[in-house]
Amino acid sequence: MNETPSTQQIYDNEYIPYSVKWGRLTSLIGVVASFVPVVVLAVVFDIMPAFDAIVTAATIRISACLVYYFIEPISFQPVLGIPGTYMAFLSGNISNLRVPCSSVAQKAAGVEEGTPQGAVVSTIGVAVSIVVNLAILTLGVILGAQIISLIPASLVSALVYLVPALYGAMLMQMILYSPKIALIAVPLGAITLAISKTGLFDSSMAILISVFGSIIIGRLLMKTGWLDDQK
């Protein structure tokens, strides 16, 4: 008699392989699609910059963004989960939209981040954020100027604080959820940010040190048993 597979088995053997398969495929399609405008300009309109200009621009862009290639997947994946990570990196607006929506969705559902349940809820949260984002962007493209003109100037100027407010809410949520880890991560982030202001290294290096430093210190303290009781 065949046994009914458990939720964990379905998650490990069906949900994750399916997500990885389509996540890889859509990501590769996204990479190819991102070069389509360049190919059209070069082939159809015969517009092609000089080779040295391409190398210079690529070097500047890679040097500025390479560190985030390592930082963002490591720092965001525990919150987003594997399926949510594929969706977020393909759709963009990761730090200012996908991660907050994922975190809030898991908090509202009462599931723990980093668990199979959290990954499923995160996927739903990211998917909903993408649909709403596309709907609002479409409306904004069509009626953007008219909508902005109806909003008071004081409110428009206050929108610059939206992302810091989101991160402040997420930070407070994580402090309440894992106060002992916050005792490590928050001071480390503040110290590295302060040092970066002196010019010793840039802000991307501060993020790198904060992320990996928190992971390493947290792992060492976990072995001592200090983090067993998070409350």
Side-chain angles (χ1 to χ4, degrees), residues 170-190 214 218 221 226-227 230:
M170 290 176 61
L171 175 62
M172 197 63 220
Q173 177 182 323
M174 293 307 300
I175 290 175
L176 294 175
Y177 179 74
S178 304
K180 290 184 177 180
I181 294 179
L183 287 175
I184 302 167
V186 174
L188 181 60
S214 298
L221 291 176
W226 187 67
L227 295 178
Q230 278 295 300

Side-chain angles (χ1 to χ4, degrees), residues 4-231:
T4 303
S6 66
T7 303
Q8 186 66 48
Q9 289 174 327
I10 295 174
Y11 177 83
D12 292 334
N13 301 328
E14 297 182 29
Y15 182 69
I16 291 300
Y18 180 87
S19 300
V20 170
K21 174 183 139 181
W22 287 102
R24 286 176 176 173
L25 177 61
T26 53
S27 295
L28 289 173
I29 293 174
V31 170
V32 174
S34 66
F35 287 96
V36 169
V38 178
V39 174
V40 171
L41 287 174
V43 176
V44 178
F45 298 97
D46 196 24
I47 299 175
M48 190 70 181
F51 180 75
D52 57 344
I54 296 175
V55 173
T56 301
T59 302
I60 294 172
R61 189 62 181 171
I62 291 172
S63 63
C65 300
L66 183 61
V67 65
Y68 295 102
Y69 179 87
F70 300 97
I71 293 174
E72 292 191 344
I74 293 174
S75 57
F76 293 151
Q77 193 274 333
V79 178
L80 294 169
I82 294 175
T85 298
Y86 279 116
M87 297 168 66
F89 276 82
L90 184 61
S91 61
N93 291 316
I94 304 171
S95 60
N96 61 348
L97 189 57
R98 311 303 173 212
V99 172
C101 288
S102 170
S103 180
V104 170
Q106 292 177 76
K107 183 69 174 178
V111 296
E112 184 178 352
E113 294 176 351
T115 63
Q117 295 83 359
V120 173
V121 173
S122 171
T123 304
I124 297 172
V126 173
V128 171
S129 76
I130 293 173
V131 173
V132 174
N133 191 196
L134 286 174
I136 293 176
L137 280 176
T138 302
L139 184 63
V141 169
I142 298 173
L143 302 172
Q146 291 85 342
I147 294 174
I148 293 296
S149 64
L150 297 176
I151 300 176
S154 57
L155 181 58
V156 174
S157 62
L159 292 178
V160 298
Y161 300 104
L162 181 59
V163 173
L166 285 172
Y167 271 94
M170 290 176 61
L171 175 62
M172 197 63 220
Q173 177 182 323
M174 293 307 300
I175 290 175
L176 294 175
Y177 179 74
S178 304
K180 290 184 177 180
I181 294 179
L183 287 175
I184 302 167
V186 174
L188 181 60
I191 291 170
T192 52
L193 179 61
I195 295 175
S196 71
K197 298 295 185 181
T198 66
L200 186 62
F201 48 75
D202 59 17
S203 58
S204 61
M205 184 58 65
I207 297 173
L208 188 66
I209 295 172
S210 299
V211 171
F212 285 97
S214 298
I215 293 173
I216 293 170
I217 296 173
R219 290 289 296 176
L220 292 174
L221 291 176
M222 187 179 293
K223 292 180 179 179
T224 68
W226 187 67
L227 295 178
D228 290 345
D229 181 13
Q230 278 295 300
K231 301 301 182 183

